[in-house]
Amino acid sequence: MTALPSNEFGFSLNGDHSRNYNIRIIDITRNIFAEPTENEQTIPGRKGTVYFGTSIGHRIILVDIKIVASSNEERNTLAHNIANWLMDTADQDDELIFDDEADKDYYGHFATDSQITRSLYSGAATLEFHCSDPFSYKEQVDTGIYTSSPVALPVSGQVPTKPIINVKVNADITSLALTNSKNDYLFLGSTIDPDQGQAPANKTPAVFGDPMTDSSIWAANTDENYINGTVAGQFQVSAQAFLTQSADYGTGSAWHGPSLKRFLSGSQQLQDFRMDAVVWFDSQNYKSMGVCRIYLIDANNNSIGYICLKDNDAVNPFTIFQAKAGTEDKGHDICYTGQQDWMIKKNETLKKKVNGRWISYTAPVNVASTNIFNGFYGILSIQRIGNVWTATITKWDNKNNPQWKYTYTWTDASNQFTGKLAGVAIYNAAYGTAAVMDHNQQADIKVYQIIDGGKPGATEIPVIATAGDEIMVDCEAHKVLKNGELFMTPLLIGSTFFDIQAGTEVIGYAPADKVDIALSYRPKYM
């Protein structure tokens, strides 16, 4: 097969370079400006029109190419491969980078059919790309941490761009204000009016937080009275998590693996609470089996509930999300669910009888099923207020942005499960000699006390964040996150997910004595 030089000039679409398809670039045509449209209105009886500005449409980029081949068969094969490469199957624009402008990214899709003109064994065609976003972008710029307001921020690029503002909270706050040089603002929470007798109130104080980087402050948990399995092996500790791999589970004929426990400081016991845990539970092996379970324990090391992910199917990659009040044997499920996502199929040769004769044919057959909880990285949360239990599962992407969230509730009408929370225990397990999970780890665990049902009194202004919390304001996606969870409720009506201007932008924030900020943005060009 004909091969082009490794430095052949071209372009990349979604990370795949044109030279991989024996494409030689003849010419690239870019408009200086995306398609502009004047917005005008005619008023009867008035001369001329009223101008309401100009709208910018999509950008069109034309690429004249030559398909380099040494035979008709090779040319046709390359044409099919190119079509498959260019075809948009995800209904979205992909990253488009041209070698003559390699420091900038466009986002576009292949837009129109192109006829191939043959010349001996080679072929020529024109590829037309439409960029719904008409701008190009350079690599993301991350600023340092700012500790005083206002901030004079140098911004690269030519046109306004949307920032991500990361806020580190150093003390209790009831509000957060952000503004730019055009006086656009974003405001979360409420201010305090002392003349009205108002005072801050934290109804969900954090009482336990462990980043899971030091196992020496955890105790071995050898009491198997509530663990559905045996305790064996030990956890590894990385710079980010407690984790288990093949040799860490020990041995056993059923569920077996390490367990640790840690109690709240000061012998605290909580009636109403919420526990959040960051978990990574994933395997590429369909036959792997595993459990990642976090128990809520009382002062006597008895289970009052738990939350877990488990794959107990040795054939299908089918992860179950389970939360329970009480123990495994004497408890009640808040949820036990595995939501099927799609079937895994493969082609097999089958036989059927036609007109009295057996014939062979090929057809896709189901070989395994999977679900949305597979490949999980995100937050598991379990909460009790009064006799109402709530379990929540939130999946993150690789940038800790929420992808989806499911919440399940159950009311303990008989008040059977009222034990007080005094600590947590973790248990990672494998099953017998089955393949183990590729990733089974806890990266962070937090416990919050819930006071007065989490609701403020008449003169109490709720604390929206405490020391150690992280708030992310994503002006591009128009959303606010706190500790990786969507946090839109405190957003004041009238707030704007504002731009920052190219050149020097001035960012103000408050309370400046209780928070620090850092910004990320992509320089934007016409």
Side-chain angles (χ1 to χ4, degrees), residues 34 56-60 91-94 106-109 129-135 137:
I56 302 175
H58 63 247
R59 180 186 293 273
I60 298 175
D91 297 329
Q92 64 181 23
D93 286 336
D94 291 317
Y106 294 89
Y107 291 89
H109 57 275
F129 295 96
H130 289 184
C131 299
S132 304
D133 181 345
F135 302 100
Y137 298 84

PDB file of all heavy atoms in Angstrom, residues 34 56-60 91-94 106-109 129-135 137:
ATOM      1  N   ALA A  34     -16.563  34.536   9.233  1.00  0.00           N
ATOM      2  CA  ALA A  34     -17.716  33.644   9.107  1.00  0.00           C
ATOM      3  C   ALA A  34     -18.874  34.391   8.472  1.00  0.00           C
ATOM      4  O   ALA A  34     -18.865  35.619   8.372  1.00  0.00           O
ATOM      5  CB  ALA A  34     -18.109  33.131  10.490  1.00  0.00           C
ATOM      6  N   ILE A  56     -23.477  36.383  13.396  1.00  0.00           N
ATOM      7  CA  ILE A  56     -22.379  35.628  12.778  1.00  0.00           C
ATOM      8  C   ILE A  56     -22.813  34.185  12.629  1.00  0.00           C
ATOM      9  O   ILE A  56     -23.169  33.534  13.613  1.00  0.00           O
ATOM     10  CB  ILE A  56     -21.096  35.724  13.621  1.00  0.00           C
ATOM     11  CG1 ILE A  56     -20.681  37.183  13.783  1.00  0.00           C
ATOM     12  CG2 ILE A  56     -19.976  34.919  12.976  1.00  0.00           C
ATOM     13  CD1 ILE A  56     -19.490  37.373  14.687  1.00  0.00           C
ATOM     14  N   GLY A  57     -22.810  33.700  11.411  1.00  0.00           N
ATOM     15  CA  GLY A  57     -23.204  32.319  11.152  1.00  0.00           C
ATOM     16  C   GLY A  57     -22.026  31.380  11.277  1.00  0.00           C
ATOM     17  O   GLY A  57     -21.014  31.685  11.911  1.00  0.00           O
ATOM     18  N   HIS A  58     -22.148  30.199  10.669  1.00  0.00           N
ATOM     19  CA  HIS A  58     -21.072  29.234  10.760  1.00  0.00           C
ATOM     20  C   HIS A  58     -19.945  29.577   9.797  1.00  0.00           C
ATOM     21  O   HIS A  58     -20.115  30.347   8.853  1.00  0.00           O
ATOM     22  CB  HIS A  58     -21.601  27.822  10.507  1.00  0.00           C
ATOM     23  CG  HIS A  58     -22.176  27.618   9.138  1.00  0.00           C
ATOM     24  ND1 HIS A  58     -23.508  27.384   8.912  1.00  0.00           N
ATOM     25  CD2 HIS A  58     -21.595  27.598   7.908  1.00  0.00           C
ATOM     26  CE1 HIS A  58     -23.715  27.235   7.620  1.00  0.00           C
ATOM     27  NE2 HIS A  58     -22.577  27.352   6.991  1.00  0.00           N
ATOM     28  N   ARG A  59     -18.789  29.005  10.063  1.00  0.00           N
ATOM     29  CA  ARG A  59     -17.619  29.186   9.196  1.00  0.00           C
ATOM     30  C   ARG A  59     -17.524  28.000   8.239  1.00  0.00           C
ATOM     31  O   ARG A  59     -17.715  26.855   8.635  1.00  0.00           O
ATOM     32  CB  ARG A  59     -16.345  29.294  10.031  1.00  0.00           C
ATOM     33  CG  ARG A  59     -15.084  29.486   9.188  1.00  0.00           C
ATOM     34  CD  ARG A  59     -13.846  29.449  10.060  1.00  0.00           C
ATOM     35  NE  ARG A  59     -13.786  30.587  10.946  1.00  0.00           N
ATOM     36  CZ  ARG A  59     -13.251  31.767  10.646  1.00  0.00           C
ATOM     37  NH1 ARG A  59     -12.755  31.954   9.432  1.00  0.00           N
ATOM     38  NH2 ARG A  59     -13.221  32.744  11.517  1.00  0.00           N
ATOM     39  N   ILE A  60     -17.230  28.280   6.965  1.00  0.00           N
ATOM     40  CA  ILE A  60     -17.065  27.234   5.956  1.00  0.00           C
ATOM     41  C   ILE A  60     -15.582  27.132   5.598  1.00  0.00           C
ATOM     42  O   ILE A  60     -14.930  28.138   5.318  1.00  0.00           O
ATOM     43  CB  ILE A  60     -17.901  27.533   4.696  1.00  0.00           C
ATOM     44  CG1 ILE A  60     -19.401  27.565   5.038  1.00  0.00           C
ATOM     45  CG2 ILE A  60     -17.622  26.490   3.617  1.00  0.00           C
ATOM     46  CD1 ILE A  60     -20.280  27.964   3.869  1.00  0.00           C
ATOM     47  N   ASP A  91     -23.494  13.486  16.212  1.00  0.00           N
ATOM     48  CA  ASP A  91     -24.266  14.731  16.135  1.00  0.00           C
ATOM     49  C   ASP A  91     -23.591  15.858  16.901  1.00  0.00           C
ATOM     50  O   ASP A  91     -24.222  16.583  17.678  1.00  0.00           O
ATOM     51  CB  ASP A  91     -25.698  14.528  16.665  1.00  0.00           C
ATOM     52  CG  ASP A  91     -26.475  13.527  15.840  1.00  0.00           C
ATOM     53  OD1 ASP A  91     -26.220  13.439  14.628  1.00  0.00           O
ATOM     54  OD2 ASP A  91     -27.330  12.824  16.403  1.00  0.00           O
ATOM     55  N   GLN A  92     -22.282  16.006  16.658  1.00  0.00           N
ATOM     56  CA  GLN A  92     -21.566  17.085  17.320  1.00  0.00           C
ATOM     57  C   GLN A  92     -20.371  17.487  16.475  1.00  0.00           C
ATOM     58  O   GLN A  92     -19.897  16.722  15.621  1.00  0.00           O
ATOM     59  CB  GLN A  92     -21.079  16.653  18.701  1.00  0.00           C
ATOM     60  CG  GLN A  92     -20.051  15.530  18.669  1.00  0.00           C
ATOM     61  CD  GLN A  92     -19.610  15.096  20.051  1.00  0.00           C
ATOM     62  OE1 GLN A  92     -20.325  15.290  21.024  1.00  0.00           O
ATOM     63  NE2 GLN A  92     -18.429  14.510  20.146  1.00  0.00           N
ATOM     64  N   ASP A  93     -19.867  18.701  16.695  1.00  0.00           N
ATOM     65  CA  ASP A  93     -18.663  19.158  16.024  1.00  0.00           C
ATOM     66  C   ASP A  93     -17.446  18.503  16.664  1.00  0.00           C
ATOM     67  O   ASP A  93     -17.395  18.306  17.887  1.00  0.00           O
ATOM     68  CB  ASP A  93     -18.532  20.683  16.128  1.00  0.00           C
ATOM     69  CG  ASP A  93     -19.518  21.405  15.220  1.00  0.00           C
ATOM     70  OD1 ASP A  93     -19.945  20.804  14.224  1.00  0.00           O
ATOM     71  OD2 ASP A  93     -19.842  22.572  15.499  1.00  0.00           O
ATOM     72  N   ASP A  94     -16.458  18.170  15.842  1.00  0.00           N
ATOM     73  CA  ASP A  94     -15.222  17.568  16.331  1.00  0.00           C
ATOM     74  C   ASP A  94     -14.066  18.541  16.172  1.00  0.00           C
ATOM     75  O   ASP A  94     -14.119  19.489  15.373  1.00  0.00           O
ATOM     76  CB  ASP A  94     -14.917  16.277  15.558  1.00  0.00           C
ATOM     77  CG  ASP A  94     -15.914  15.164  15.863  1.00  0.00           C
ATOM     78  OD1 ASP A  94     -16.248  14.997  17.044  1.00  0.00           O
ATOM     79  OD2 ASP A  94     -16.350  14.484  14.918  1.00  0.00           O
ATOM     80  N   TYR A 106     -10.202  24.462  15.503  1.00  0.00           N
ATOM     81  CA  TYR A 106     -11.563  24.755  15.068  1.00  0.00           C
ATOM     82  C   TYR A 106     -12.437  23.588  15.518  1.00  0.00           C
ATOM     83  O   TYR A 106     -11.951  22.501  15.858  1.00  0.00           O
ATOM     84  CB  TYR A 106     -11.649  24.886  13.543  1.00  0.00           C
ATOM     85  CG  TYR A 106     -10.902  26.080  12.970  1.00  0.00           C
ATOM     86  CD1 TYR A 106      -9.556  25.980  12.604  1.00  0.00           C
ATOM     87  CD2 TYR A 106     -11.539  27.301  12.778  1.00  0.00           C
ATOM     88  CE1 TYR A 106      -8.870  27.055  12.071  1.00  0.00           C
ATOM     89  CE2 TYR A 106     -10.859  28.386  12.241  1.00  0.00           C
ATOM     90  CZ  TYR A 106      -9.529  28.254  11.899  1.00  0.00           C
ATOM     91  OH  TYR A 106      -8.849  29.333  11.375  1.00  0.00           O
ATOM     92  N   TYR A 107     -13.747  23.788  15.500  1.00  0.00           N
ATOM     93  CA  TYR A 107     -14.682  22.715  15.836  1.00  0.00           C
ATOM     94  C   TYR A 107     -15.730  22.655  14.740  1.00  0.00           C
ATOM     95  O   TYR A 107     -16.525  23.589  14.566  1.00  0.00           O
ATOM     96  CB  TYR A 107     -15.313  22.949  17.218  1.00  0.00           C
ATOM     97  CG  TYR A 107     -14.300  22.784  18.319  1.00  0.00           C
ATOM     98  CD1 TYR A 107     -13.537  23.857  18.752  1.00  0.00           C
ATOM     99  CD2 TYR A 107     -14.048  21.528  18.872  1.00  0.00           C
ATOM    100  CE1 TYR A 107     -12.554  23.697  19.725  1.00  0.00           C
ATOM    101  CE2 TYR A 107     -13.076  21.362  19.848  1.00  0.00           C
ATOM    102  CZ  TYR A 107     -12.342  22.451  20.269  1.00  0.00           C
ATOM    103  OH  TYR A 107     -11.368  22.285  21.224  1.00  0.00           O
ATOM    104  N   GLY A 108     -15.695  21.555  13.960  1.00  0.00           N
ATOM    105  CA  GLY A 108     -16.583  21.475  12.813  1.00  0.00           C
ATOM    106  C   GLY A 108     -16.946  20.053  12.456  1.00  0.00           C
ATOM    107  O   GLY A 108     -16.556  19.091  13.122  1.00  0.00           O
ATOM    108  N   HIS A 109     -17.680  19.922  11.361  1.00  0.00           N
ATOM    109  CA  HIS A 109     -18.108  18.613  10.882  1.00  0.00           C
ATOM    110  C   HIS A 109     -18.106  18.627   9.359  1.00  0.00           C
ATOM    111  O   HIS A 109     -18.263  19.678   8.729  1.00  0.00           O
ATOM    112  CB  HIS A 109     -19.510  18.261  11.399  1.00  0.00           C
ATOM    113  CG  HIS A 109     -20.551  19.270  11.021  1.00  0.00           C
ATOM    114  ND1 HIS A 109     -20.796  20.410  11.760  1.00  0.00           N
ATOM    115  CD2 HIS A 109     -21.405  19.324   9.966  1.00  0.00           C
ATOM    116  CE1 HIS A 109     -21.758  21.116  11.193  1.00  0.00           C
ATOM    117  NE2 HIS A 109     -22.144  20.481  10.095  1.00  0.00           N
ATOM    118  N   PHE A 129     -16.166  21.570   5.225  1.00  0.00           N
ATOM    119  CA  PHE A 129     -16.426  21.505   6.652  1.00  0.00           C
ATOM    120  C   PHE A 129     -17.190  22.742   7.096  1.00  0.00           C
ATOM    121  O   PHE A 129     -16.884  23.857   6.654  1.00  0.00           O
ATOM    122  CB  PHE A 129     -15.115  21.407   7.450  1.00  0.00           C
ATOM    123  CG  PHE A 129     -14.344  20.138   7.210  1.00  0.00           C
ATOM    124  CD1 PHE A 129     -13.308  20.095   6.287  1.00  0.00           C
ATOM    125  CD2 PHE A 129     -14.662  18.990   7.911  1.00  0.00           C
ATOM    126  CE1 PHE A 129     -12.602  18.930   6.062  1.00  0.00           C
ATOM    127  CE2 PHE A 129     -13.954  17.806   7.700  1.00  0.00           C
ATOM    128  CZ  PHE A 129     -12.931  17.782   6.772  1.00  0.00           C
ATOM    129  N   HIS A 130     -18.168  22.545   7.948  1.00  0.00           N
ATOM    130  CA  HIS A 130     -18.903  23.647   8.555  1.00  0.00           C
ATOM    131  C   HIS A 130     -18.570  23.689  10.042  1.00  0.00           C
ATOM    132  O   HIS A 130     -18.692  22.671  10.736  1.00  0.00           O
ATOM    133  CB  HIS A 130     -20.405  23.482   8.368  1.00  0.00           C
ATOM    134  CG  HIS A 130     -20.858  23.692   6.961  1.00  0.00           C
ATOM    135  ND1 HIS A 130     -22.190  23.663   6.582  1.00  0.00           N
ATOM    136  CD2 HIS A 130     -20.172  23.940   5.817  1.00  0.00           C
ATOM    137  CE1 HIS A 130     -22.291  23.880   5.286  1.00  0.00           C
ATOM    138  NE2 HIS A 130     -21.076  24.035   4.795  1.00  0.00           N
ATOM    139  N   CYS A 131     -18.164  24.859  10.509  1.00  0.00           N
ATOM    140  CA  CYS A 131     -17.863  25.053  11.928  1.00  0.00           C
ATOM    141  C   CYS A 131     -19.004  25.852  12.547  1.00  0.00           C
ATOM    142  O   CYS A 131     -19.122  27.065  12.295  1.00  0.00           O
ATOM    143  CB  CYS A 131     -16.537  25.784  12.109  1.00  0.00           C
ATOM    144  SG  CYS A 131     -15.119  24.899  11.430  1.00  0.00           S
ATOM    145  N   SER A 132     -19.846  25.176  13.327  1.00  0.00           N
ATOM    146  CA  SER A 132     -20.982  25.859  13.949  1.00  0.00           C
ATOM    147  C   SER A 132     -20.513  26.995  14.843  1.00  0.00           C
ATOM    148  O   SER A 132     -21.157  28.041  14.920  1.00  0.00           O
ATOM    149  CB  SER A 132     -21.806  24.859  14.764  1.00  0.00           C
ATOM    150  OG  SER A 132     -22.223  23.783  13.957  1.00  0.00           O
ATOM    151  N   ASP A 133     -19.408  26.765  15.551  1.00  0.00           N
ATOM    152  CA  ASP A 133     -18.740  27.836  16.289  1.00  0.00           C
ATOM    153  C   ASP A 133     -17.719  28.436  15.332  1.00  0.00           C
ATOM    154  O   ASP A 133     -16.754  27.777  14.943  1.00  0.00           O
ATOM    155  CB  ASP A 133     -18.055  27.263  17.531  1.00  0.00           C
ATOM    156  CG  ASP A 133     -17.352  28.311  18.372  1.00  0.00           C
ATOM    157  OD1 ASP A 133     -17.134  29.444  17.869  1.00  0.00           O
ATOM    158  OD2 ASP A 133     -17.009  28.023  19.526  1.00  0.00           O
ATOM    159  N   PRO A 134     -17.890  29.697  14.922  1.00  0.00           N
ATOM    160  CA  PRO A 134     -17.026  30.248  13.866  1.00  0.00           C
ATOM    161  C   PRO A 134     -15.630  30.635  14.335  1.00  0.00           C
ATOM    162  O   PRO A 134     -14.796  31.009  13.510  1.00  0.00           O
ATOM    163  CB  PRO A 134     -17.799  31.488  13.422  1.00  0.00           C
ATOM    164  CG  PRO A 134     -18.546  31.919  14.645  1.00  0.00           C
ATOM    165  CD  PRO A 134     -18.930  30.643  15.347  1.00  0.00           C
ATOM    166  N   PHE A 135     -15.347  30.544  15.620  1.00  0.00           N
ATOM    167  CA  PHE A 135     -14.067  30.992  16.159  1.00  0.00           C
ATOM    168  C   PHE A 135     -13.077  29.830  16.247  1.00  0.00           C
ATOM    169  O   PHE A 135     -13.445  28.656  16.210  1.00  0.00           O
ATOM    170  CB  PHE A 135     -14.266  31.610  17.548  1.00  0.00           C
ATOM    171  CG  PHE A 135     -15.215  32.776  17.555  1.00  0.00           C
ATOM    172  CD1 PHE A 135     -16.529  32.614  17.966  1.00  0.00           C
ATOM    173  CD2 PHE A 135     -14.799  34.027  17.138  1.00  0.00           C
ATOM    174  CE1 PHE A 135     -17.413  33.675  17.970  1.00  0.00           C
ATOM    175  CE2 PHE A 135     -15.671  35.101  17.137  1.00  0.00           C
ATOM    176  CZ  PHE A 135     -16.988  34.931  17.543  1.00  0.00           C
ATOM    177  N   TYR A 137      -9.569  28.435  18.614  1.00  0.00           N
ATOM    178  CA  TYR A 137      -9.133  28.510  20.009  1.00  0.00           C
ATOM    179  C   TYR A 137      -7.709  28.002  20.158  1.00  0.00           C
ATOM    180  O   TYR A 137      -7.313  27.026  19.526  1.00  0.00           O
ATOM    181  CB  TYR A 137     -10.043  27.663  20.898  1.00  0.00           C
ATOM    182  CG  TYR A 137     -11.485  28.108  20.915  1.00  0.00           C
ATOM    183  CD1 TYR A 137     -12.371  27.692  19.919  1.00  0.00           C
ATOM    184  CD2 TYR A 137     -11.970  28.939  21.912  1.00  0.00           C
ATOM    185  CE1 TYR A 137     -13.692  28.096  19.927  1.00  0.00           C
ATOM    186  CE2 TYR A 137     -13.291  29.344  21.935  1.00  0.00           C
ATOM    187  CZ  TYR A 137     -14.149  28.924  20.937  1.00  0.00           C
ATOM    188  OH  TYR A 137     -15.465  29.327  20.955  1.00  0.00           O
TER     189      TYR A 137
END
